[in-house]
Amino acid sequence: MKKFVPLVKNSALFDGINDDDLEHLLACLNAKVTEVKKNSFIWMQGDSHYNVGLVLHGKVNIIKEDIMGNRSLIAGIEAPHIFGESLVSSGAPQSPVSVQAAMDSTIMLIDFLRLVKTCNSACAFHSRLIQNMMKIIAQKNMYLNEKIDYLKRTTTRQKVATYLINHISDKIALKAIIPLNREEFADYLGVNRSALSRELSSMKEEGLIEYKKNKFSILDYASINELVF
Amino acid sequence: MKKFVPLVKNSALFDGINDDDLEHLLACLNAKVTEVKKNSFIWMQGDSHYNVGLVLHGKVNIIKEDIMGNRSLIAGIEAPHIFGESLVSSGAPQSPVSVQAAMDSTIMLIDFLRLVKTCNSACAFHSRLIQNMMKIIAQKNMYLNEKIDYLKRTTTRQKVATYLINHISDKIALKAIIPLNREEFADYLGVNRSALSRELSSMKEEGLIEYKKNKFSILDYASINELVF
DNA sequence: TAATTTGCGTTGCATTTGCAACATTTTGAG
DNA sequence: CTCAAAATGTTGCAAATGCAACGCAAATTA
């Protein structure tokens, strides 16, 4: 397991655990590492499984398929992030999604029961591991709540206004630098890309905001804030 | 603490822990119980706090306020459910919401750090408690993911179709009984109530579905499923 | 039973938005 | 620098939907 320590140490799952302890912990968890080829499936929709996956190298896609075989991409997970944590922690009997390797990848699979059961033995950092796991799930929870806050708003303008208000980095100059390009921004807000462009243009036209690429500034805070309600 | 055992034992947080152990556990957790009057605030937006709240009796509302003082209701939490679990577990520095008593209520506050740190002492059921907590957060996570799945779809018809497919209880007769009235259903899907009524009528008109109150049946599964993609 | 409230359906209208097709700007490779 | 590709903006149009106002029926209360 020692050779995997450099690969996993950046994962939030093992945050705050030093290398020596980590090596010990990986053994204690009985973590398995597998190489997967591009396009091969790690999990299929409808499967039952009890592992948390950690991408050591490469990328996997979370995919939803319908009966007709249409597939839609839910998310891409790259190293050093984990997947399946909500599913196994929630005790759901079947996976609502499939996981497919987006490229040749290296995956570590960790048995969930071992992860959550503090071992009686010398594994002192197990408690920290559990806290990390809980934190990861809770943070995703906060993230999803925020996303729903945008998606529920009826107009594109309201969504944009709310997003910008939440992402102000410079509170004096009211500037927001957003980590998404236009297409991703539109997708995140659940609107059509061209409709987003149109709305941004109108807002600029009306003197509410100014922007270039992913750098936005709020010119008329009162009006923008009124849209947030 | 003994007198609170009957009140907390139905909480998912203490699932699988018997009464005697529970009494022990509550002491170990140093849980505090407070009575709150209707409309009083338990937490204010922007506060930092490190407790998980458990509603023993009554009801609390999760509220978001903007700068102008407009308030919007996010959720209502009744006994024996918990609140604040994602917030504290995620390590967020400030609460994005306020919690206000919707009626005279009894609230138990549990220190998060005590909750997640397995004590060295005889508290054998602490591990179970942590698993329960993780499960609650993960289940909310699954719930939020599902909700986003509906909200992201562009048309009301797609939202309805997806919701119904996911809520089929009778797989032979393709019936779904939904736990929401029309107004709640519309709100959940993020659409206008009258627009939902209109769409349901059209779908009935076109022979796709049949419904009365909250009992729905899918008449044309192929067409409905095509909307789900 | 009568009166009132609540839940749900209907409809007209203005607005918003998805969609598609095309224009323009930016980026990066050679 | 040049050129191609990628990212972003623009626009016309049809469809969808929010909104408001109203009607009806079921449920609740007096």
Side-chain angles (χ1 to χ4, degrees):
Chain A
M1 279 295 137
K2 189 164 191 171
K3 67 173 185 173
F4 296 117
V5 168
L7 291 172
V8 305
K9 63 181 292 187
N10 294 318
S11 165
L13 189 58
F14 297 112
D15 189 47
I17 299 175
N18 71 44
D19 291 12
D20 290 345
D21 295 321
L22 187 47
E23 190 185 345
H24 183 172
L25 192 54
L26 290 179
C28 162
L29 288 171
N30 192 27
K32 310 270 190 223
V33 175
T34 70
E35 303 282 337
V36 291
K37 285 286 173 197
K38 178 173 178 175
N39 292 332
S40 66
F41 282 86
I42 297 145
W43 292 336
M44 295 295 285
Q45 197 166 323
D47 282 358
S48 304
H49 42 74
Y50 308 97
N51 290 316
V52 175
L54 168 56
V55 181
L56 299 183
H57 177 76
K59 182 178 179 183
V60 301
N61 286 329
I62 312 296
I63 291 168
K64 191 155 195 172
E65 300 170 82
D66 71 14
I67 293 177
M68 316 295 284
N70 302 310
R71 290 179 184 172
S72 74
L73 177 68
I74 308 285
I77 313 286
E78 300 183 36
H81 296 294
I82 66 175
F83 59 91
E85 72 286 353
S86 297
L87 179 69
V88 293
S89 307
S90 72
Q94 295 186 322
S95 174
V97 294
S98 298
V99 181
Q100 184 179 30
M103 57 173 73
D104 290 0
S105 304
T106 312
I107 309 295
M108 177 178 281
L109 296 173
I110 302 169
D111 184 272
F112 176 71
L113 284 179
R114 280 188 183 243
L115 200 157
V116 293
K117 290 229 195 274
T118 42
C119 41
N120 310 339
S121 59
C123 186
F125 294 90
H126 209 135
S127 165
R128 176 63 191 249
L129 181 67
I130 291 169
Q131 282 182 59
N132 286 346
M133 175 87 170
M134 202 179 276
K135 185 170 182 174
I136 290 169
I137 298 172
Q139 283 177 337
K140 183 171 280 183
N141 213 306
M142 301 285 282
Y143 166 84
L144 294 174
N145 268 317
E146 185 186 334
K147 187 164 181 171
I148 286 175
D149 191 20
Y150 303 130
L151 292 175
K152 282 211 98 178
R153 300 182 191 259
T154 54
T155 68
T156 303
R157 180 169 295 215
Q158 286 170 349
K159 294 179 185 191
V160 169
T162 310
Y163 185 93
L164 289 180
I165 291 272
N166 284 348
H167 285 78
I168 291 173
S169 52
D170 180 339
K171 296 196 180 198
I172 312 294
L174 298 178
K175 288 186 190 300
I177 297 173
I178 77 175
L180 306 165
N181 64 32
R182 281 290 177 287
E183 181 141 19
E184 292 165 338
F185 193 20
D187 183 64
Y188 181 73
L189 298 179
V191 298
N192 182 277
R193 184 193 59 79
S194 73
L196 174 61
S197 266
R198 170 166 45 201
E199 196 57 40
L200 290 176
S201 296
S202 309
M203 292 173 80
K204 184 193 277 186
E205 181 87 14
E206 294 173 36
L208 298 177
I209 61 173
E210 189 54 72
Y211 62 91
K212 184 154 198 176
K213 293 271 170 196
N214 66 335
K215 295 184 183 23
F216 289 75
S217 33
I218 296 171
L219 302 181
D220 182 345
Y221 186 82
S223 301
I224 291 293
N225 195 62
E226 211 159 290
L227 291 162
V228 175
F229 70 90
Chain B
M1 280 295 137
K2 189 165 190 171
K3 67 173 184 172
F4 297 117
V5 168
L7 292 173
V8 305
K9 62 181 291 188
N10 294 319
S11 165
L13 189 59
F14 297 112
D15 188 47
I17 299 174
N18 71 44
D19 291 12
D20 289 344
D21 296 320
L22 187 47
E23 189 184 345
H24 182 172
L25 192 53
L26 290 179
C28 163
L29 288 172
N30 193 27
K32 311 269 189 222
V33 175
T34 69
E35 304 282 337
V36 292
K37 285 284 172 197
K38 179 174 177 174
N39 292 332
S40 66
F41 282 87
I42 297 144
W43 293 336
M44 295 294 285
Q45 197 165 325
D47 282 357
S48 304
H49 42 74
Y50 309 97
N51 290 316
V52 175
L54 168 56
V55 182
L56 298 182
H57 177 77
K59 182 178 179 182
V60 301
N61 285 330
I62 312 296
I63 292 168
K64 191 155 194 172
E65 301 170 82
D66 70 14
I67 293 177
M68 315 295 284
N70 302 311
R71 289 178 184 173
S72 73
L73 177 67
I74 308 284
I77 314 285
E78 300 183 35
H81 296 294
I82 66 174
F83 59 91
E85 72 286 353
S86 297
L87 179 69
V88 294
S89 307
S90 72
Q94 295 186 322
S95 174
V97 295
S98 298
V99 181
Q100 185 179 30
M103 56 175 74
D104 291 0
S105 304
T106 311
I107 309 294
M108 176 177 283
L109 296 173
I110 302 169
D111 183 273
F112 176 71
L113 284 179
R114 280 187 182 243
L115 201 156
V116 293
K117 290 228 195 274
T118 41
C119 42
N120 311 338
S121 59
C123 187
F125 294 90
H126 208 135
S127 165
R128 176 64 191 246
L129 181 67
I130 292 169
Q131 284 182 58
N132 286 346
M133 175 86 169
M134 202 180 276
K135 185 171 182 173
I136 290 169
I137 299 172
Q139 282 177 338
K140 183 171 280 183
N141 214 306
M142 301 285 282
Y143 167 84
L144 294 175
N145 268 316
E146 185 185 334
K147 186 163 181 171
I148 286 176
D149 191 20
Y150 303 130
L151 292 175
K152 283 211 97 177
R153 298 180 193 260
T154 53
T155 68
T156 302
R157 180 170 294 215
Q158 286 169 350
K159 294 179 185 191
V160 170
T162 310
Y163 186 94
L164 289 181
I165 291 273
N166 284 347
H167 286 78
I168 291 173
S169 52
D170 180 338
K171 297 195 181 201
I172 312 293
L174 298 178
K175 289 186 189 303
I177 297 173
I178 77 175
L180 306 165
N181 64 31
R182 282 291 177 285
E183 181 141 20
E184 292 165 337
F185 193 20
D187 183 64
Y188 180 73
L189 298 180
V191 299
N192 182 277
R193 183 193 59 80
S194 73
L196 175 61
S197 266
R198 172 165 42 201
E199 196 57 40
L200 290 176
S201 296
S202 309
M203 292 173 79
K204 184 192 278 186
E205 181 87 14
E206 295 172 35
L208 298 177
I209 62 174
E210 189 54 73
Y211 61 91
K212 184 155 197 175
K213 293 267 172 196
N214 66 336
K215 294 184 185 18
F216 290 74
S217 33
I218 296 172
L219 302 181
D220 182 347
Y221 185 82
S223 301
I224 293 293
N225 196 61
E226 211 159 291
L227 291 163
V228 175
F229 70 88

